[in-house]
Amino acid sequence: MRPSSSVASSGDTAPPRLYFIPFPTPGHALPMSDLARLFASRGADATLVLTHANAARLGGPVARAAAAGLCIRIHALTLPAEAAGLTGGHESADDLPNRELAGPFAIAVDLLAPLFTDLLRRHPADAVVFDGVLPWAATAAPELGIPRYAFTGTGCFALSVQRSLLLHSPQNGVASDTEPFLVPGLPDAVRLTKSRLAEATLPGADSREFLNRMFDVERATAGWVVNSFADLEQRYIEHYEKVTGKPVFAVGPVCLVNGDGDDTLERGRGGEAAAAAEAARVLKWLDTKPARSVVYVCFGSLTRFPLEQVSELGMGLADSGANFVWVVGDKNVPPLPDIDAAAPGRGLVVRGWAPQVAVLRNAAVGAFVTHCGWGAVTEAAAAGVPVLSWPVFAEQFYNEALVVGLAGTGVGMGAERGYVWGGEALGGVVVGREAVAERVRGALADEALRRRAGEIGGRARRAVEAGGSSYEAVGALLEDVLRPGRRSPDGAGASGRDTTRGQASVSTHYASEDISHGEQHMHIRIGSWPV
């Protein structure tokens, strides 16, 4: 992976040094890792800041990119777990055994702030791309004057909906959880219900604190970096720029930075031998199935359904008559339905992790049952695979509205209410086996749905190619970092570091450097998601 044209051709100055720091959980760290490699491929000098456990998970693709000549590395920080009262060695949100540990984990993540500040002071940067849920990264080392760009973690449609709900609170004016209300000020007439709203936007929630944090991030950021592309939500990209007064750089789908080799096969699980064996097992099984005959089922790294819902899902898949790959995220879930007996030869159960991007690209996959996390949405879009949406929490119901209502690349599975993260484990049966079977059969047989998803997939791939909207957005952000006022006239950047070295020497030096010192309006009815 050699640098593509952008800043790489400017031989009289060093490439801009960018830091990328995600919240430590796969749904945030994976796309941020892709993002860092994407910018490195365009000539930037990229440092990905992770906890040690996530560095081990994501290190393989970064090491290969560095070996190929890109200016990229990982800086590992030690999570201050003991100081936060967090025991058990948990360094990623998906590794927490229960939601009761979410509070100590959040405190431990906040305690990374002084470590990141120290890193910036010892190894200054020209810009920081920070996770939008890490507001302290936007204000670390303010004396350095480093511009900060917020990586939103979701798309501009969901961000626009959330912002409107927090500012205008239309949800406070309805009498029941199922009464629709209009979200004001959006390009489309979006109607929601309280049963699907974010925890922070529900009446009685401490939404003012959340709103203040949102505005703090807006004030501190120089712009938004979004894992999206123009043909998916152009009007909402423009809308979010207008309402925040900050530029949006839609650079996705970032998963497309991964080719068809090891980067895709081990994405999210490092070079573990067990992961490689599991990837080979899944892909070998898929290769025995006809084109577009398999439904892939995965609810991300955080969802934990109760046993009765797991059973209904499994039996519904068996009853559908379809081939399926079913990823059960919790390795410790009680015994599953006997899939071999219920669907002999048609079902493959994966406990824990699966190579999702590689699976979605496989010709056998014809639909994707997903919680509609934004990473999953963009990965499905990039692969041109229709979505069967089953939102659970966070912005997932909003993403469903975009996929089903606006983009037309998915259909709903029938989930009508959302949960606070962790609450889904007590929710009982949300979608029964009959509904699962019916919707799976319908999606696999829907030629119009498949055609629309394929069109969006083609547009996603063109967006990241030279001249595409996302390709141009990467260049625009790099130009924004390099514009007058970002780097001083004497050749020093905003950080004060020397920027007069040649690109070739910088590439050679930093590829091997280790600086880890310890560490038309439509009416859409969607209706509860927490953040």
Side-chain angles (χ1 to χ4, degrees):
M1 183 189 295
R2 300 297 304 178
S4 56
S5 61
S6 191
V7 298
S9 60
S10 55
D12 57 337
T13 61
R17 180 181 292 180
L18 275 61
Y19 282 176
F20 299 82
I21 179 166
F23 184 83
T25 197
H28 293 239
L30 273 172
M32 189 76 90
S33 173
D34 290 341
L35 187 71
R37 287 187 288 127
L38 172 62
F39 275 85
S41 75
R42 296 289 296 277
D45 177 352
T47 298
L48 182 62
V49 182
L50 302 169
T51 61
H52 283 282
N54 282 297
R57 278 183 174 184
L58 305 177
V62 173
R64 280 189 289 274
L70 301 191
C71 300
I72 188 168
R73 73 207 56 80
I74 289 175
H75 182 96
L77 297 176
T78 298
L79 188 72
E82 292 186 4
L86 180 67
T87 60
H90 307 295
E91 291 191 20
S92 186
D94 67 311
D95 188 42
L96 299 177
N98 57 67
R99 199 185 183 226
E100 285 66 39
L101 292 178
F105 182 75
I107 293 171
V109 172
D110 282 348
L111 292 176
L112 290 171
L115 302 181
F116 184 61
T117 297
D118 181 61
L119 171 63
L120 288 180
R121 288 172 176 158
R122 289 186 291 108
H123 301 279
D126 293 297
V128 170
V129 180
F130 69 98
D131 197 309
V133 298
L134 299 179
W136 47 261
T139 55
E143 73 277 7
L144 297 178
I146 302 171
R148 318 296 169 106
Y149 298 85
F151 183 65
T152 62
T154 190
C156 287
F157 176 83
L159 290 168
S160 298
V161 169
Q162 172 182 274
R163 197 177 196 279
S164 180
L165 291 173
L166 288 168
L167 282 173
H168 305 295
S169 301
Q171 63 272 26
N172 292 349
V174 293
S176 72
D177 287 352
T178 58
E179 179 183 345
F181 60 87
L182 180 70
V183 181
L186 300 180
D188 297 290
V190 178
R191 297 184 185 277
L192 311 177
T193 65
K194 286 197 294 186
S195 66
R196 298 181 177 182
L197 291 186
E199 180 181 9
T201 59
L202 289 171
D206 193 5
S207 57
R208 175 55 55 181
E209 179 185 353
F210 189 85
L211 181 63
N212 289 338
R213 291 203 308 270
M214 181 180 74
F215 284 146
D216 286 343
V217 171
E218 284 187 12
R219 282 189 291 268
T221 186
W224 312 101
V225 184
V226 183
N227 181 19
S228 188
F229 58 103
D231 280 327
L232 185 61
E233 51 169 7
Q234 178 62 36
R235 286 186 300 161
Y236 288 90
I237 293 170
E238 295 171 352
H239 175 76
Y240 205 64
E241 285 187 326
K242 180 179 178 181
V243 298
T244 65
K246 301 293 177 69
V248 172
F249 302 94
V251 299
V254 296
C255 65
L256 288 173
V257 76
N258 298 281
D260 293 325
D262 290 342
D263 290 351
T264 300
L265 294 177
E266 70 178 43
R267 185 172 180 266
R269 273 296 177 269
E272 300 172 10
E278 188 70 331
R281 180 176 80 98
V282 173
L283 296 176
K284 181 179 180 180
W285 187 90
L286 284 171
D287 288 341
T288 68
K289 303 304 177 184
R292 306 306 176 201
S293 70
V294 177
V295 61
Y296 173 62
V297 184
C298 182
F299 291 87
S301 58
L302 296 179
T303 301
R304 298 291 182 267
F305 283 136
L307 180 58
E308 57 266 37
Q309 179 62 85
V310 173
S311 179
E312 288 289 295
L313 171 58
M315 296 314 298
L317 292 170
D319 293 348
S320 72
N323 298 313
F324 58 91
V325 174
W326 180 19
V327 180
V328 182
D330 188 352
K331 295 180 181 179
N332 301 314
V333 72
L336 300 173
D338 189 347
I339 296 301
D340 288 335
R346 292 192 291 109
L348 180 67
V349 176
V350 179
R351 288 181 178 267
W353 169 89
Q356 182 158 294
V357 170
V359 169
L360 291 172
R361 291 179 183 178
N362 192 283
V365 175
F368 179 17
V369 177
T370 172
H371 61 312
C372 266
W374 189 244
V377 168
T378 58
E379 289 161 10
V385 173
V387 161
L388 282 158
S389 62
W390 187 334
V392 183
F393 48 73
E395 88 287 5
Q396 294 162 12
F397 279 98
Y398 301 177
N399 296 338
E400 178 187 55
L402 174 67
V403 170
V404 175
L406 289 179
T409 59
V411 294
M413 287 288 282
E416 295 294 338
R417 67 181 185 272
Y419 300 90
V420 174
W421 173 51
E424 76 279 6
L426 306 174
V429 176
V430 174
V431 181
R433 63 188 287 179
E434 295 85 1
V436 170
E438 177 186 353
R439 286 171 172 82
V440 166
R441 284 194 296 266
L444 288 176
D446 193 332
E447 292 292 338
L449 178 66
R450 181 183 301 176
R451 182 168 55 252
R452 178 59 179 161
E455 291 171 355
I456 288 293
R459 294 179 184 182
R461 292 185 290 275
R462 287 192 293 274
V464 302
E465 294 172 352
S469 61
S470 298
Y471 183 94
E472 295 299 320
V474 173
L477 190 147
L478 290 172
E479 289 178 4
D480 196 63
V481 171
L482 295 171
R483 69 181 171 83
R486 297 290 195 223
R487 287 185 169 189
S488 60
D490 63 359
S495 61
R497 73 182 181 93
D498 176 25
T499 61
T500 59
R501 294 169 296 176
Q503 161 67 17
S505 63
V506 173
S507 178
T508 301
H509 179 60
Y510 285 111
S512 60
E513 183 184 21
D514 178 8
I515 61 169
S516 299
H517 297 277
E519 318 345 305
Q520 5 48 51
H521 289 266
M522 299 180 64
H523 289 275
I524 308 168
R525 292 181 183 270
I526 62 179
S528 164
W529 63 282
V531 289

